[in-house]
Amino acid sequence: MTSPWTSAHVAAIDMDKAAIVPAFAETPRPSGGADFYYWDMWPVQNPDGTIASIGGRARWMALTAPDRGDPAARHFAARIRWLEQVDGGWVDRGAVLPSVDVPYEREWAGSALLMDGRVTLFFTGAGSATRSGGYQQKLYEAHAPVEADGSIGAWSVPAPSIRAMTADYCAADAHEGEPGRIKAFRDPAFFRDPLDGADYLVFTASLAATTSDYNGAVGLARCTSDGWVLLPPVVHADGVNNELERAHIVAHGDRYYLFWVTQRSTFSPGVAAGPTGLYGMVADRMTGPWRPLNGSGLVIANPDADPFRSYSWFVSAEGVTASFVDAPGENGFVGAPAPLLQLVFDGESVRLSAAALV
């Protein structure tokens, strides 16, 4: 059953009571990466969604692109790179995947799983290798062994995760478009249901059966003996919002928490737009129904006075939440990891911890 995120839910947002992303000091880019933009971060995780340890330390990934003075162009040159925290700062550890012949042009966001001695990267293959600059999107995966010393071995050639579409979803196959207005089939996030051990991919999608241009949805695929098979969307925002980005599910206690991020600019003109922020819903089982967290769906938001403080929050099972520094204040685009935040799960609500920063 697909649950709606409605205009009535959005109208219930009270910014006077909302959890606001805290201000932070100037944040440098990772060591060794001064000439790169960084955005859309995620940790390598265990099957239960907790942050994994590889060789005794956490390993992270992020989208990156060369800083050529045009932040908007970064989406057309994106590749995934390793990041690691050392002494409170971030260090760039190089490209994750080697350069091989693939049908897509660049790498967009996803997730990473440590299981049975190997790392699996689920990611978005964006664009077309035969024509640059497109907005085509497909879900891909690749895996590599973890060696005894914690190093990562040779990666398999990336392969499509989804081989057969269903009528529930729009195919994100258009070459032309513009950010915030394109249709989505991206951002795969692994989730294992603790109830029955079933494995899922949660992803950013667009609802097919609609008359609205604002048809954002959270897609779902289940792992079977025949591979990943698409299921109906978990949640949709038909008529409300075009993009429910970086969607992922966390199991905590006896509930399921679904998170996504969205921007004020992607709400329908006919809706009282919510702030740029992290949103979510909660359910008692994977099949729903899903109910908006905190009564409206809003979990944390950029303040009205600083709407581009940070973006693209990703939550682990411990509540550790990563994002990137967007364009705070009047400083222009930064493109660096933002300070990690700590969220607290409490039944039908999720909030910032009193300390906020990890």
Side-chain angles (χ1 to χ4, degrees), residues 73-105:
R74 74 187 190 277
H75 301 292
F76 300 98
R79 291 200 67 190
I80 300 166
R81 294 177 72 86
W82 288 108
L83 290 181
E84 186 179 344
Q85 274 193 309
V86 178
D87 297 330
W90 293 97
V91 178
D92 186 311
R93 298 299 194 194
V96 172
L97 296 177
S99 295
V100 295
D101 288 334
V102 288
Y104 53 85
E105 182 185 30

Side-chain angles (χ1 to χ4, degrees), residues 311-323:
Y311 189 57
S312 200
W313 299 269
F314 189 93
V315 184
S316 76
E318 303 97 330
V320 175
T321 304
S323 62

Side-chain angles (χ1 to χ4, degrees), residues 1-4 169 202 218-220 232-236 249 258 286 290:
M1 180 181 297
T2 304
S3 299
Y169 300 101
V202 186
V218 175
L220 193 67
V234 180
V235 164
H236 72 75
I249 293 176
L258 165 65
M286 278 291 292
W290 292 84

